[in-house]
Amino acid sequence: MSGTGVLALRLAGPLQSWGASSRFTRRTTESAPTKSGVVGLLAAAAGIERGDDMRLAPLAGLRFGVRVDQPGTRIRDFHTAHHGVTGASMPLSERFYLADAVFVAALEGDHTLLITLHDALRTPAYPPYLGRRSCPPTEPVGLALHADTRLEDVLARVPWQASAWYQRRHPTPCTLTVLRERAPGEPVTAADVLRDQPVSFDAAHRQHTLRTITTTTVPTPTPAPVPAGGSPQGTHDPFAALDVLEDDSA
């Protein structure tokens, strides 16, 4: 077995928000989880403090990819606030979220580091969240740890993680979109650039650099097993109660 592996995550919750270029009173979200957001989730679980750039660096060095299993719906919320000291009204702000989205994220790198992160997700030092503290994930976040494999292979074979209600109401797509970093030695093709490579999460001098993102597709894998009235991995599906009401009224 080689010294590398891939950690797969299921990122799902009522709301997610993955900002990469938000500023001032307009807080946008990308259409899929960002590397900085997922690395921040893992760093929180591992107990890495915001100013500890040395411990953050190995996590930031992992190769990252994400598969869009359930794109969700973009929504906008307006926020009002008052200054904590003076009580003065703060400017009205807009915040954007993804509602009812599900993603499979994968990180490739040192197997020993990934074992540590996988264990940390089971007993996190700080609660993980999906981009913002107001966006807690549904369980489980950690899907599995794969040894001696590639990020591309894991994203192609992990079962489709869409919610049970989504699988019932939408035809299974032929392919799923994958956004990932290039593998070492992979030819350069058409790609996007996003300021999303974390360098420091220190509140006094947050720093991110550019990273290149390649967009591909994979055939939709077999859906994850769904218990009767439940959702993938046995998590609670709040929409199941609505389906019962629809059946009774039919």
Side-chain angles (χ1 to χ4, degrees), residues 34-55:
T34 58
K35 182 176 184 178
S36 58
V38 174
V39 167
L41 181 155
L42 293 172
I48 299 175
E49 301 296 334
R50 283 186 174 274
D52 194 342
D53 298 345
M54 184 173 296
R55 291 186 64 195

Side-chain angles (χ1 to χ4, degrees), residues 230-241:
S231 58
Q233 304 298 319
T235 55
H236 172 61
D237 180 6
F239 288 92

Side-chain angles (χ1 to χ4, degrees), residues 75-144:
I75 62 174
R76 179 173 61 174
D77 190 22
F78 291 98
H79 282 239
T80 59
H82 291 80
H83 194 281
V85 177
T86 66
S89 296
M90 303 296 287
L92 180 69
S93 65
E94 297 177 275
R95 304 196 180 187
F96 292 80
Y97 299 88
L98 297 175
D100 298 324
V102 181
F103 305 96
V104 172
L107 299 103
E108 177 187 312
D110 180 73
H111 190 66
T112 301
L113 172 60
L114 295 178
I115 290 174
T116 301
L117 296 176
H118 192 216
D119 292 341
L121 288 172
R122 296 192 181 103
T123 56
Y126 299 106
Y129 49 86
L130 305 178
R132 292 203 185 115
R133 290 190 182 92
S134 60
C135 302
T138 57
E139 296 295 336
V141 174
L143 276 177

Side-chain angles (χ1 to χ4, degrees), residues 9 45-47 75 91 94 105 125 147 149 154 195 202 213 220 232:
L9 312 175
I75 62 174
E94 297 177 275
T149 188
V154 170
R195 188 169 295 279
D202 192 316
I213 304 169
T220 301

Side-chain angles (χ1 to χ4, degrees), residues 201-217:
F201 289 143
D202 192 316
H205 58 83
R206 290 192 185 194
Q207 186 178 357
H208 299 77
T209 58
L210 297 175
R211 70 181 184 95
T212 302
I213 304 169
T214 298
T215 302
T216 61
T217 60

